[in-house]
Amino acid sequence: MAEVKVKVQPPDADPVEIENRIIELCHQFPHGITDQVIQNEMPHIEAQQRAVAINRLLSMGQLDLLRSNTGLLYRIKDSQNAGKMKGSDNQEKLVYQIIEDAGNKGIWSRDIRYKSNLPLTEINKILKNLESKNLIKAASKKKVYMLYNLQPDRSVTGGAWYSDQDFESEFVEVLNQQCFKFLQTKAETARESKQNPMIQRNSSFASSHEVWKYICELGISKVELSMEDIETILNTLIYDGKVEMTIIAAKEGTVGSVDGHMKLYRAVNPIIPPTGLVRAPCGLCPVFDDCHEGGEISPSNCIYMTEWLEF
């Protein structure tokens, strides 16, 4: 008698269990998962069952559908952003998600177009609408878009010395003067102490953290300055011959120390005054190569040259 083979069909999985498993996978991979990932994790689930579960999660607003170079991605929806995007169509949600993924470095409109495959006119309309809702912002004149509540990365703004891509030379000069004034005051206090010369010298030093704290307490900056910003200003004073720096060993955890070292600065008086030629503006002029007689930039109409000659 011939043996009869009976194919045993696997029992249908509970739809709720499938949905919960997909949600778990999305939490494990916050940047999104592909259908292949779901299939690998649940090989016993039929394609139709997976599709039903995914569509249900999408319709309930628990998942976001993204488009990437590798295909479609499913990502867990942020409950906070879900409320913000309520009433938006799928195209607007897609553009918002692309901008959100860019973080505080932002993204160009042309890159949004490339990632979304939407027409430029449609993208411009969506961007304008999202800006009017205060969901996104253009972080610079060059139209780099990011979420409204994010602080732009220094690579976008140019750092503390730039405002709307323009170099704030007056602000830098004020910081330069105030940092030098603080070190001068500390040096004068050390001299007035009438201690021996070595103690006076050591007392005249200040750490970059002390200078940073002094500048912050003055309240002259509208932007938040870091210790690195202040050290940049102090470096310009070193180049000008007004300040000297030394590095000492410091205990781990000491305020102002980095990797067991601390930078100390003090105001100094030049041994001899620099010659007039050294102070000539031409050596540091950023448009030196474009300067020639008869041109738009020339020695005869240079205000810095005039000031130097009067000096």
Side-chain angles (χ1 to χ4, degrees), residues 255-269:
V255 177
S257 65
V258 178
D259 296 331
H261 297 87
M262 181 183 292
K263 295 179 180 179
L264 299 178
Y265 303 82
R266 77 183 188 105
V268 294
N269 295 319

Side-chain angles (χ1 to χ4, degrees), residues 23 90 185 215 226 310:
I23 293 293
N90 290 332
T185 302
I215 294 297
S226 66
E310 290 175 352

Side-chain angles (χ1 to χ4, degrees), residues 122-280:
E122 185 66 24
I123 288 175
N124 290 336
K125 179 181 176 183
I126 292 172
L127 291 173
K128 188 175 181 181
N129 190 33
L130 291 174
E131 281 189 281
S132 67
K133 296 178 181 177
N134 288 337
L135 293 176
I136 66 169
K137 63 183 176 183
S140 70
K141 291 180 180 178
K142 296 180 180 179
K143 295 293 184 181
V144 176
Y145 292 94
M146 65 183 62
L147 296 190
Y148 186 80
N149 61 338
L150 293 182
Q151 184 69 26
D153 186 78
R154 296 173 74 91
S155 62
V156 177
T157 62
W161 321 130
Y162 288 82
S163 175
D164 293 330
Q165 306 295 305
D166 296 325
F167 182 66
E168 294 284 355
S169 57
E170 293 182 3
F171 174 53
V172 172
E173 182 60 29
V174 169
L175 285 176
N176 196 298
Q177 293 172 1
Q178 291 299 327
C179 288
F180 185 54
K181 179 183 176 182
F182 174 76
L183 294 176
Q184 275 186 316
T185 302
K186 195 168 182 66
E188 289 171 4
T189 303
R191 282 194 296 269
E192 292 171 358
S193 66
K194 305 300 182 182
Q195 302 275 358
N196 69 64
M198 186 57 70
I199 294 179
Q200 285 187 32
R201 183 181 185 278
N202 292 340
S203 300
S204 65
F205 279 102
S207 67
S208 51
H209 180 268
E210 290 178 272
V211 182
W212 169 79
K213 185 179 179 182
Y214 169 75
I215 294 297
C216 290
E217 290 174 351
L218 281 181
I220 58 176
S221 175
K222 295 180 181 178
V223 295
E224 185 176 346
L225 296 173
S226 66
M227 265 190 21
E228 290 181 357
D229 294 328
I230 296 302
E231 287 179 357
T232 301
I233 295 294
L234 292 169
N235 285 338
T236 64
L237 292 171
I238 293 173
Y239 303 145
D240 289 339
K242 297 178 179 180
V243 168
E244 70 175 10
M245 180 192 74
T246 186
I247 299 177
I248 64 171
K251 292 181 180 179
E252 187 176 350
T254 303
V255 177
S257 65
V258 178
D259 296 331
H261 297 87
M262 181 183 292
K263 295 179 180 179
L264 299 178
Y265 303 82
R266 77 183 188 105
V268 294
N269 295 319
I271 300 175
I272 58 173
T275 63
L277 186 60
V278 172
R279 293 196 298 265

